[in-house]
Amino acid sequence: MDFSIRKILTGIIILFILIFVLNLFQNQVKNTFYIISHPVEKTLSMAADNTSVFFASLFGKKELKKENEELKIENEKLLSMISSLQSDERENQIAADILGFKNMKLVLSGVIGLDSQQDIISIDKGLTSGVLEGMAVINQQKVLFGKVIKVYNSFSKVMLISSKSSVIDVRVQQDDPRGTPTKPVINGLIKGSGGLGVYLDLVPTDQEIKEQDILITSALEELFPKDLLVGKVTKNYKNDQKPFQQARVEPFFNIKNTDNLLVITDYKKEK
């Protein structure tokens, strides 16, 4: 046999042997490759899963943190509102106790503005605090300042008794310490003259009023409780030819040195 033919046959036989060997160990090779590659694949897969969980957790924590902060803010607002309401209620109750007004409710308010040309002040309480038009405004010494004429949600306008539009029924305080009248009751009207001033009008000429007489709200007044302090007489103007006399009056209110006032929100006239 020729040498080249034998060489070719030898090569063919070797090729068949290699193919047989590869087919015989194919499963083992695949298994070995899987054993080697699986930990790497598993590690990569776990890393990917952990990364996904990490970012999901991170974003979840951010959302949760945001929600917690919002809830905290809302809670603080609610607590502040509750505290404010409780504080206002305590202050109003204390004021009512101090004044001894058992048949009415009071709202403590702060003075936030003054229109001296119209004799009108602004206070920091309004509809949300139960303030309504027509309610009387006083201080802790029972001095009458005026009445509410305009109400908004959180503040109100108060017309002082010195306004030219203000007219109040008053009487001269003449009771002795035992509460027994010492002389006939003298009634009149306090009218505003503007510029924080007032005067007494419509007092019958046959009745005697004198300097330093104290003027208080009368039982004739439908709007205000009786016995609120108004002012004192400083000068009497009497003319026997006229049916009524007038007097200059120094009002007791002093708006320039007043920070807080009380609104009477539930006054019921005594019968």
Side-chain angles (χ1 to χ4, degrees):
M1 182 179 293
D2 189 87
F3 176 77
S4 58
I5 295 174
R6 284 186 293 173
K7 187 176 179 181
I8 293 172
L9 290 174
T10 303
I12 292 172
I13 293 170
I14 293 171
L15 180 61
F16 277 110
I17 293 172
L18 288 173
I19 292 172
F20 175 78
V21 170
L22 288 174
N23 286 331
L24 182 63
F25 294 100
Q26 182 179 15
N27 291 334
Q28 287 85 344
V29 172
K30 287 182 179 180
N31 186 62
T32 302
F33 180 78
Y34 175 77
I35 292 172
I36 296 172
S37 65
H38 177 68
V40 177
E41 179 184 357
K42 184 176 180 181
T43 301
L44 293 175
S45 177
M46 289 179 63
D49 290 342
N50 290 337
T51 302
S52 177
V53 171
F54 170 76
F55 283 108
S57 175
L58 180 62
F59 289 121
K61 287 180 178 179
K62 286 184 177 179
E63 289 297 324
L64 183 60
K65 184 178 180 181
K66 183 180 178 181
E67 291 178 2
N68 288 337
E69 290 177 349
E70 291 176 351
L71 287 173
K72 183 179 179 181
I73 292 173
E74 290 298 323
N75 286 336
E76 288 176 350
K77 288 181 179 179
L78 288 173
L79 289 173
S80 177
M81 290 175 62
I82 292 171
S83 175
S84 177
L85 289 173
Q86 291 176 341
S87 177
D88 287 345
E89 186 176 355
R90 286 195 300 270
E91 290 175 345
N92 295 336
Q93 186 58 51
I94 290 171
D97 292 342
I98 290 174
L99 293 173
F101 288 163
K102 297 179 180 180
N103 62 332
M104 65 186 67
K105 294 181 180 178
L106 303 171
V107 170
L108 184 65
S109 63
V111 178
I112 57 176
L114 168 64
D115 183 348
S116 58
Q117 293 187 353
Q118 299 187 55
D119 289 60
I120 292 175
I121 62 172
S122 299
I123 58 175
D124 61 0
K125 293 294 167 58
L127 289 173
T128 55
S129 300
V131 177
L132 299 175
E133 291 183 11
M135 290 180 171
V137 179
I138 62 177
N139 68 3
Q140 293 185 3
Q141 287 73 44
K142 296 186 181 181
V143 173
L144 179 63
F145 275 64
K147 67 177 181 179
V148 178
I149 58 169
K150 187 69 175 177
V151 184
Y152 302 88
N153 285 336
S154 57
F155 73 98
S156 303
K157 298 287 186 180
V158 177
M159 180 177 69
L160 299 173
I161 62 173
S162 57
S163 168
K164 292 181 179 180
S165 300
S166 176
V167 179
I168 304 168
D169 288 306
V170 295
R171 65 180 174 86
V172 177
Q173 187 180 50
Q174 297 176 327
D175 297 345
D176 66 13
R178 295 168 295 179
T180 304
T182 57
K183 58 179 72 174
V185 176
I186 300 175
N187 291 311
L189 294 178
I190 282 290
K191 296 181 178 180
S193 57
L196 305 180
V198 300
Y199 65 96
L200 179 64
D201 196 8
L202 296 183
V203 178
T205 304
D206 60 352
Q207 294 181 332
E208 182 183 359
I209 55 175
K210 57 186 184 297
E211 293 182 10
Q212 303 303 312
D213 276 347
I214 303 298
L215 302 175
I216 57 178
T217 53
S218 71
L220 300 175
E221 181 60 64
E222 295 285 341
L223 179 62
F224 305 122
K226 67 177 183 179
D227 297 337
L228 296 177
L229 296 169
V230 177
K232 65 180 179 180
V233 175
T234 57
K235 186 174 180 60
N236 181 28
Y237 300 101
K238 187 175 181 178
N239 186 338
D240 293 334
Q241 303 300 318
K242 295 181 179 181
F244 299 102
Q245 57 184 313
Q246 294 181 333
R248 187 169 61 197
V249 175
E250 179 184 341
F252 286 134
F253 78 83
N254 185 351
I255 192 63
K256 294 182 179 180
N257 294 325
T258 300
D259 295 323
N260 298 295
L261 292 172
L262 299 161
V263 181
I264 302 175
T265 61
D266 191 32
Y267 166 60
K268 296 180 177 61
K269 184 180 178 181
E270 296 180 2
K271 296 181 181 180

